Amino acid sequence: MFSFDLIATQNRARTGRFHTPHGELATPVFAPVGTQATVKTLTPEHLKSIRASLVLSNTYHLYLRPGDELVAEMGGLHEFMQWPGPMLTDSGGFQVFSLSDTRKIDDDGVTFKSHIDGSTHRFTPERSIQIQENLGADIIMAFDECADPNDQAYIAKATERTHRWAERSLAAHKRADQALFGIMQGGVDPDLRRASAEFISSLPFLGIAIGGLSVGETKREMYETLDMVTPLLPEDKPRYLMGVGTPEDLIEGIRRGIDIFDCVLPTRLARHNAAFSSEGRLNLMNASYARDRRPIDETCDCYTCRTFTRAYLRHLIVAKELLAGTLLSIHNLRALIRLMEEMRIAIQDGSFEAKVPSLLAQWQGNAERASKTKNTK
Amino acid sequence: MFSFDLIATQNRARTGRFHTPHGELATPVFAPVGTQATVKTLTPEHLKSIRASLVLSNTYHLYLRPGDELVAEMGGLHEFMQWPGPMLTDSGGFQVFSLSDTRKIDDDGVTFKSHIDGSTHRFTPERSIQIQENLGADIIMAFDECADPNDQAYIAKATERTHRWAERSLAAHKRADQALFGIMQGGVDPDLRRASAEFISSLPFLGIAIGGLSVGETKREMYETLDMVTPLLPEDKPRYLMGVGTPEDLIEGIRRGIDIFDCVLPTRLARHNAAFSSEGRLNLMNASYARDRRPIDETCDCYTCRTFTRAYLRHLIVAKELLAGTLLSIHNLRALIRLMEEMRIAIQDGSFEAKVPSLLAQWQGNAERASKTKNTK
């Protein structure tokens, strides 16, 4: 039901195809985030028009609202939100640690209070898998614990706990039409990372995720960790760098052998009037765009760029019209998806490494690293 | 450049075609309101998908933001907002009277303060026409004064002033590619209404609008005024009932010979989680829809009804996802546009009057009359 075929590699960069019950993913792939069973302000038609393939949704949010059992009753997440393509759910762990008001972690699981109404809930590896089975995404994630990257003692403990929870997640996993991915932790400590990469790789997961990055460490620390980690991973499983990222991080991640990414950055920036462009990031609120007849990006093929001027987009923003968020989300997501398409082609024709400097020059400075902690509500 | 052809009539109901430089309008027609050069939360693609034909935009708002001269520089309203079909702008008068913080009316015009920043501005008939020429809609409106329907002395004065302003609007009008419509006033006073209908009809306007209704009078007063007024109007000019209305008012208006309507009600209700349906109005926040697999309206052909369950729409509303407003706006507008299509066909095949009771039974109670005063910000 699942298979991963590498088509081409260049140095450590890879392009391939991951087959899922809801279609094939061309990798490397960037997944728009649909936290609450909707990519904010966009319809599934919009998602098709920007050629999105994989859509992520958040287990923590859907468990609390509308409830995973309700989603299951409605035929599962694909049917509920009418997204016909591949989907991925996270385990809920990260959001419990970053969003819920209070939480108590023990070796068995975590008890937390809802950020919506303060009610008390408990996640364990078994419960997370059960909820994700109710939601029914194609790719589901093991329950893990993401520790503060600067707290060495806590990282060691959390990594060890993540390993036990990985085994329990595997044991709890039943649905053959869902691919369970393991998550390594280990912060930016080389020994812990190596041990975690090796341990998670030794288990029968269908894919390997790198957790605990892009959570407060420096870019350099993130890239060095990736440099060290990806050579330890099995070649034949897809690798997922969770919650990343900026255009620059996508380029640097692919270069280091990553296959799957997700991030709220494109839609979050859209809600803050910012647009990716190959000239650098634009803040469309800026008065200099008031009479600017150009699209956001002359090179972009999205509906927004094919249709509207910067002047009109600025007017919508100034006039507080919600359509601005929709149009900027379309553009920002398409910009990253198009960047991925470009990199897939370059890996296939062997030109990727040669293109990296110009890609970085084009896309660097488009965005600071997203703070995942703040982006998920 | 403009022509109006009646295709069929039944009693006083009419169906016809109004030719404009941006295409033909099949009448009776309902115009979605795009106050600030956007029908709130919808793209022009959405408007095409619901088969909108005429789109209204508000002169007062566009004059203040982004400014009519900027819109003219950007190629006019059609080009600016990328709506390729017919457009209509109001004169700005109604909004000045209902929205601006303070205003001083004299026989020459009105001085008012912006609701945005308190700055002082002045509209006269000549200025309103000049602004509407800058905006460039296909149908533009004479500058009028809409009086409180319960203040008899003021109505008489305002109606007289509206007549002088109608003459001045005509004299100021230059662009041959814009059809100038006159507006009658007169409140619900039969003598004033008759005099105003006859006076406005005597001037060389390309269409006649009925102002000063749906502003606080009863439904019965509105229908009686229409009963009296439409027989006084020339057969060969389109008749526009401004700011109306509810599904019921559309049926009753068409029955009395109205050709053009506009109202913010469908999009405003959408923002308040309410949906028109042939079973009566639904408040989709209601817990009873949490597991409801049906579309809003089984008989509706809109994207929302073809795609999503009430359960999903309720989830979006409860989770405060903006997509709910987009999906409900698509549905509510399509519901009214479809009702107009149904009535046009019925007038053509002679079945309209026979259908009125069942149409009213289906659509009555879907909505209270919109308060135009509150709906335009």
Side-chain angles (χ1 to χ4, degrees):
Chain A
M1 201 163 276
F2 292 93
S3 65
F4 181 55
D5 304 312
L6 280 180
I7 295 168
T9 60
Q10 190 185 9
N11 300 335
R12 286 160 62 189
R14 310 131 50 96
T15 179
R17 302 209 172 274
F18 188 61
H19 301 269
T20 84
H22 287 85
E24 195 175 82
L25 295 174
T27 64
V29 60
F30 176 81
V33 177
T35 296
Q36 304 192 107
T38 165
V39 176
K40 287 189 189 305
T41 77
L42 301 189
T43 67
E45 290 298 309
H46 287 138
L47 293 175
K48 284 174 211 165
S49 81
I50 59 170
R51 283 177 248 160
S53 53
L54 178 65
V55 172
L56 180 145
S57 203
N58 291 116
T59 289
Y60 168 86
H61 289 84
L62 294 177
Y63 159 77
L64 290 176
R65 198 168 58 187
D68 52 295
E69 285 173 11
L70 186 148
V71 173
E73 258 185 76
M74 295 295 121
L77 202 43
H78 295 86
E79 180 71 19
F80 187 56
M81 67 184 281
Q82 287 290 306
W83 173 247
M87 294 201 68
L88 184 157
T89 47
D90 60 4
S91 70
F94 184 80
Q95 257 94 18
V96 166
F97 299 120
S98 60
L99 279 187
S100 71
D101 289 332
T102 57
R103 54 184 190 275
K104 242 186 89 183
I105 307 165
D106 55 60
D107 286 340
D108 182 53
V110 50
T111 299
F112 61 94
K113 288 196 171 168
S114 158
H115 73 283
I116 300 167
D117 63 7
S119 55
T120 300
H121 303 264
R122 183 164 174 82
F123 278 177
T124 61
E126 293 76 15
R127 188 84 184 91
S128 168
I129 297 299
Q130 183 187 33
I131 295 166
Q132 292 185 79
E133 291 189 337
N134 278 335
L135 296 174
D138 301 271
I139 301 173
I140 65 175
M141 304 302 298
F143 193 62
D144 68 325
E145 181 177 0
C146 178
D148 181 330
N150 303 310
D151 181 341
Q152 187 70 14
Y154 178 23
I155 289 173
K157 198 170 155 76
T159 303
E160 180 54 30
R161 193 138 57 192
T162 291
H163 295 174
R164 300 290 80 75
W165 289 358
E167 294 169 320
R168 285 168 55 191
S169 296
L170 269 168
H173 172 54
K174 286 187 286 284
R175 278 180 63 169
D177 61 343
Q178 296 185 298
L180 178 61
F181 280 28
I183 306 178
M184 74 180 72
Q185 288 289 342
V188 295
D189 178 279
D191 293 334
L192 284 174
R193 268 291 161 190
R194 184 172 304 112
S196 194
E198 286 170 352
F199 181 80
I200 298 295
S201 298
S202 74
L203 298 177
F205 289 114
L206 294 193
I208 309 288
I210 302 168
L213 291 181
S214 192
V215 292
E217 80 289 359
T218 65
K219 265 182 193 288
R220 189 195 174 112
E221 286 172 322
M222 178 168 104
Y223 298 151
E224 284 175 357
T225 303
L226 291 178
D227 280 334
M228 195 205 68
V229 153
T230 53
L232 304 173
L233 302 179
E235 286 284 324
D236 61 349
K237 291 180 184 177
R239 300 149 180 185
Y240 168 27
L241 181 54
M242 303 183 81
V244 171
T246 65
E248 180 186 3
D249 285 350
L250 300 182
I251 299 164
E252 297 288 4
I254 287 173
R255 211 178 174 180
R256 288 165 174 83
I258 301 298
D259 305 303
I260 302 175
F261 302 84
D262 79 279
C263 193
V264 297
L265 188 63
T267 41
R268 183 147 52 104
L269 287 179
R271 294 196 297 281
H272 293 89
N273 313 321
F276 291 139
S277 104
S278 46
E279 302 170 22
R281 183 162 132 188
L282 310 183
N283 182 337
L284 287 164
M285 180 73 118
N286 199 304
S288 66
Y289 302 124
R291 288 172 163 77
D292 194 329
R293 292 164 192 273
R294 290 173 296 173
I296 295 171
D297 190 332
E298 307 269 4
T299 72
C300 183
D301 61 2
C302 81
Y303 171 66
T304 305
C305 287
R306 282 184 289 109
T307 313
F308 302 102
T309 60
R310 295 178 183 180
Y312 181 65
L313 296 169
R314 176 177 188 271
H315 162 65
L316 293 180
I317 290 165
V318 171
K320 300 183 179 62
E321 286 286 353
L322 299 176
L323 184 60
T326 303
L327 296 179
L328 292 186
S329 293
I330 289 172
H331 169 73
N332 284 346
L333 284 172
R334 179 62 194 149
L336 294 197
I337 288 170
R338 210 163 52 95
L339 175 61
M340 301 306 269
E341 291 169 359
E342 193 179 348
M343 290 195 278
R344 286 201 299 268
I345 291 167
I347 296 167
Q348 210 164 344
D349 69 19
S351 65
F352 175 69
E353 271 302 332
K355 279 192 175 159
V356 163
S358 72
L359 286 173
L360 285 174
Q362 241 183 328
W363 290 104
Q364 249 166 358
N366 251 285
E368 296 307 304
R369 173 93 48 85
S371 157
K372 283 192 287 190
T373 313
K374 290 185 196 146
N375 68 23
T376 38
K377 271 203 193 181
Chain B
M1 202 163 276
F2 293 92
S3 65
F4 181 54
D5 305 312
L6 280 179
I7 295 168
T9 61
Q10 190 185 6
N11 300 336
R12 286 159 65 188
R14 309 130 52 95
T15 180
R17 302 209 172 274
F18 188 61
H19 300 270
T20 83
H22 288 85
E24 195 173 83
L25 294 174
T27 64
V29 61
F30 176 82
V33 177
T35 297
Q36 302 192 109
T38 166
V39 175
K40 287 190 190 306
T41 76
L42 301 189
T43 67
E45 291 298 310
H46 287 137
L47 293 175
K48 284 175 211 164
S49 81
I50 58 169
R51 284 177 247 158
S53 52
L54 177 65
V55 172
L56 179 144
S57 204
N58 291 115
T59 290
Y60 167 87
H61 289 84
L62 295 176
Y63 159 78
L64 290 176
R65 195 165 61 187
D68 52 295
E69 286 174 11
L70 187 148
V71 173
E73 258 184 75
M74 294 296 122
L77 200 44
H78 295 85
E79 179 72 19
F80 186 56
M81 68 184 280
Q82 287 290 305
W83 174 247
M87 292 201 69
L88 183 155
T89 47
D90 61 4
S91 71
F94 183 80
Q95 257 92 18
V96 166
F97 299 120
S98 60
L99 278 187
S100 72
D101 290 333
T102 58
R103 54 185 191 273
K104 243 185 87 181
I105 307 164
D106 56 59
D107 286 340
D108 182 53
V110 49
T111 299
F112 61 95
K113 288 195 171 166
S114 158
H115 73 283
I116 300 167
D117 63 4
S119 55
T120 300
H121 303 264
R122 184 165 173 81
F123 278 178
T124 61
E126 293 76 16
R127 189 83 185 92
S128 167
I129 297 298
Q130 183 187 33
I131 294 167
Q132 291 185 79
E133 291 189 338
N134 278 335
L135 297 173
D138 301 271
I139 300 173
I140 65 174
M141 304 302 299
F143 193 64
D144 69 324
E145 182 177 358
C146 178
D148 181 331
N150 302 312
D151 182 341
Q152 187 70 14
Y154 177 25
I155 289 173
K157 199 171 155 75
T159 303
E160 180 55 31
R161 193 139 58 193
T162 290
H163 295 173
R164 300 291 78 76
W165 289 357
E167 294 169 320
R168 285 167 56 191
S169 295
L170 269 168
H173 172 53
K174 287 188 285 289
R175 278 181 63 169
D177 61 343
Q178 295 184 301
L180 178 61
F181 280 28
I183 307 177
M184 75 181 70
Q185 288 290 342
V188 295
D189 178 282
D191 294 335
L192 283 174
R193 267 291 162 188
R194 184 174 301 112
S196 193
E198 285 169 352
F199 181 80
I200 297 296
S201 296
S202 74
L203 298 177
F205 289 114
L206 294 193
I208 310 289
I210 302 168
L213 291 181
S214 192
V215 292
E217 81 288 359
T218 65
K219 265 183 193 286
R220 188 194 175 116
E221 285 172 324
M222 179 169 104
Y223 297 152
E224 284 176 357
T225 303
L226 291 178
D227 280 334
M228 194 205 69
V229 152
T230 52
L232 305 172
L233 302 179
E235 285 284 325
D236 61 348
K237 289 179 184 177
R239 300 148 179 184
Y240 168 26
L241 181 54
M242 303 182 80
V244 171
T246 64
E248 179 185 4
D249 285 350
L250 300 181
I251 298 164
E252 296 288 3
I254 287 174
R255 211 177 174 180
R256 289 164 173 83
I258 300 298
D259 305 302
I260 302 174
F261 303 84
D262 78 279
C263 194
V264 297
L265 188 63
T267 42
R268 183 146 53 101
L269 286 179
R271 295 196 297 281
H272 292 90
N273 314 320
F276 292 139
S277 102
S278 46
E279 304 169 21
R281 184 163 132 189
L282 310 183
N283 182 335
L284 287 164
M285 179 75 115
N286 198 304
S288 67
Y289 302 124
R291 287 172 163 79
D292 193 329
R293 294 165 192 271
R294 290 172 296 173
I296 296 171
D297 189 333
E298 306 268 5
T299 71
C300 183
D301 61 2
C302 81
Y303 172 65
T304 304
C305 286
R306 281 184 290 108
T307 312
F308 302 101
T309 60
R310 295 177 184 181
Y312 181 66
L313 296 169
R314 176 176 189 271
H315 162 65
L316 293 180
I317 290 165
V318 171
K320 300 184 178 61
E321 286 286 351
L322 299 177
L323 184 61
T326 303
L327 296 179
L328 292 186
S329 293
I330 288 172
H331 168 73
N332 283 346
L333 285 171
R334 178 63 194 149
L336 293 197
I337 288 170
R338 211 161 53 95
L339 175 61
M340 302 306 269
E341 290 170 359
E342 193 179 347
M343 290 194 279
R344 287 201 299 269
I345 291 167
I347 297 167
Q348 211 164 340
D349 69 20
S351 65
F352 176 68
E353 272 302 333
K355 278 191 176 157
V356 163
S358 71
L359 287 173
L360 285 174
Q362 241 184 328
W363 291 104
Q364 252 166 354
N366 251 284
E368 296 308 301
R369 174 95 44 87
S371 157
K372 283 192 287 193
T373 314
K374 291 185 197 149
N375 69 24
T376 38
K377 270 202 194 179

